[in-house]
Amino acid sequence: MGAQIIDGKAFAAKVRSKVGEHVTSLKADHGITPGLAVVLVGEDPASQVYVRSKGKMTTEVGMKSVEHKLDVATSEADLLALIDALNNDDSIHGILVQLPLPGHLDEDLVINAISPAKDVDGFHISNVGLLGTGQKSMVPCTPLGCLMMLREHHGSLSGLDAVVIGRSNIVGKPMAQLLLGDSCTVTIAHSRTKDLQDVVRRADIVVAAVGRPEMVPGDWIKKGASVIDVGINRIERDGKNKLVGDVDFASCAEVAGAITPVPGGVGPMTIACLLANTVTACCRANGLAEPEGLTA
Ligand code: NAD
């Protein structure tokens, strides 16, 4: 194996500890405790696990954590009323509505009801527009985590060729915007891309966000490239359940310069960035200087 393994777990712990230091000084110097509200509608088991670990980590860094668990049959009007109350609650600086929502609820409507300043997931249409035009915004957590790891590894990303595989609103598109913001030459590849392997082979940075187990083999990767694997795929191998990414780790690690593992790469950074976004939102709401290194 030639590649340096980018340890997302260790890096996320560093980010959380930085967040914790800011929380301590916000409390001590200004009497402010950042607060994060997470809203879960229904009982999707994966969502319940995410919400639990978000709450635990929010508390661990010293922030206020509020969880609203709503019945699966909650009406849109009731959900919007809760969001309105949270928008107007000065002790809450970040609001996250756990997706996916049950089918009778309009996700776009609900997300766009969150105050953009408290939209710590960065999915509100205003934040999408601000990011797209290079203005200060709340940045989606998963791509922000990828960007932080790439900056840590490369220092400057300026002029590098980057390929993002996947064009979703929550990962692929914001990832491409962030890389563009750091002056990469960016290609977005997707399910209709012709000659994907040729596109990937040109890249100094490959971010795979597809959701197809181990679809990128090592012989697509340029020697020394950085490979960020966002994919989380559950597969069965040798009679055992296993988590794998969108890249074939073993063969890609032979050629890459650096690579994130699955699990233990991008995943842990996502919650760390949610906490970072909450502290950033809190500082902005109070007209205080933003913590350095925790935003795009
Ligand atoms: P999505 O399904 O919304 O988007 C997948 C994208 O992949 C689409 O844009 C599609 O065009 C593209 N695609 C599909 N097949 C392709 C192919 N054969 N070749 C090239 N492109 C193809 O998924 P998403 O929400 O962006 O998530 C992608 C993956 O990242 C999933 O495995 C998801 O579980 C994972 N994920 C991880 C985290 C994390 O915290 N680590 C966060 C979000 C998503």
Side-chain angles (χ1 to χ4, degrees):
M1 184 186 303
Q4 179 191 328
I5 309 297
I6 300 177
D7 185 344
K9 209 170 157 192
F11 194 38
K14 263 207 272 186
V15 171
R16 288 198 306 275
S17 125
K18 221 179 200 180
V19 169
E21 284 165 23
H22 281 284
V23 173
T24 304
S25 59
L26 278 168
K27 285 178 178 171
D29 302 341
H30 304 281
I32 301 167
T33 303
L36 172 65
V38 176
V39 180
L40 173 65
V41 187
E43 293 182 357
D44 177 66
S47 295
Q48 283 179 327
V49 173
Y50 291 141
V51 167
R52 231 186 344 265
S53 59
K54 282 168 187 168
K56 185 169 165 274
M57 290 194 184
T58 305
T59 314
E60 273 171 14
V61 294
M63 297 202 270
K64 170 178 160 170
S65 165
V66 179
E67 283 175 28
H68 290 273
K69 293 183 178 162
L70 308 183
D71 189 83
V72 68
T74 299
S75 71
E76 205 160 78
D78 284 351
L79 179 56
L80 293 175
L82 172 62
I83 292 173
D84 189 49
L86 294 170
N87 283 340
N88 289 301
D89 182 340
D90 289 341
S91 74
I92 296 298
H93 305 93
I95 303 169
L96 181 148
V97 176
Q98 184 67 44
L99 301 179
L101 288 173
H104 66 286
L105 300 170
D106 179 341
E107 276 186 7
D108 288 340
L109 184 79
V110 169
I111 296 304
N112 290 324
I114 298 171
S115 159
K118 296 189 179 188
D119 166 40
V120 281
D121 249 343
F123 295 161
H124 190 290
I125 193 75
S126 299
N127 283 316
V128 176
L130 290 167
L131 178 63
T133 49
Q135 300 179 69
K136 196 182 269 190
S137 65
M138 295 308 303
V139 177
C141 304
T142 300
L144 178 59
C146 297
L147 182 76
M148 283 184 186
M149 291 192 286
L150 284 166
R151 282 179 176 169
E152 171 89 354
H153 180 71
H154 286 271
S156 168
L157 306 182
S158 181
L160 296 179
D161 268 314
V163 169
V164 179
I165 318 176
R167 56 175 162 181
S168 72
N169 289 337
I170 65 166
V171 190
K173 284 181 199 156
M175 186 73 246
Q177 296 287 6
L178 289 171
L179 292 166
L180 198 55
D182 270 28
S183 300
C184 291
T185 303
V186 183
T187 304
I188 306 180
H190 47 78
S191 53
R192 303 292 175 91
T193 297
K194 286 185 194 152
D195 301 325
L196 181 60
Q197 44 189 299
D198 290 341
V199 174
V200 172
R201 243 181 233 123
R202 292 201 298 266
D204 304 305
I205 293 171
V206 178
V207 180
V210 181
R212 287 169 66 99
E214 299 172 329
M215 71 165 273
V216 178
D219 61 4
W220 289 14
I221 301 295
K222 175 168 152 182
K223 193 159 175 46
S226 297
V227 178
I228 305 292
D229 193 350
V230 182
I232 302 176
N233 307 291
R234 275 163 234 282
I235 61 161
E236 203 188 298
R237 183 170 290 154
D238 305 327
K240 287 187 189 144
N241 290 324
K242 221 183 151 216
L243 272 191
V244 298
D246 290 342
V247 311
D248 176 44
F249 183 82
S251 62
C252 289
E254 294 290 332
V255 262
I259 188 167
T260 58
V262 177
V266 175
M269 285 298 289
T270 297
I271 296 187
C273 287
L274 172 68
L275 305 177
N277 277 349
T278 305
V279 97
T280 298
C282 177
C283 291
R284 288 180 186 169
N286 289 284
L288 299 168
E290 288 172 27
E292 263 178 46
L294 294 181
T295 50

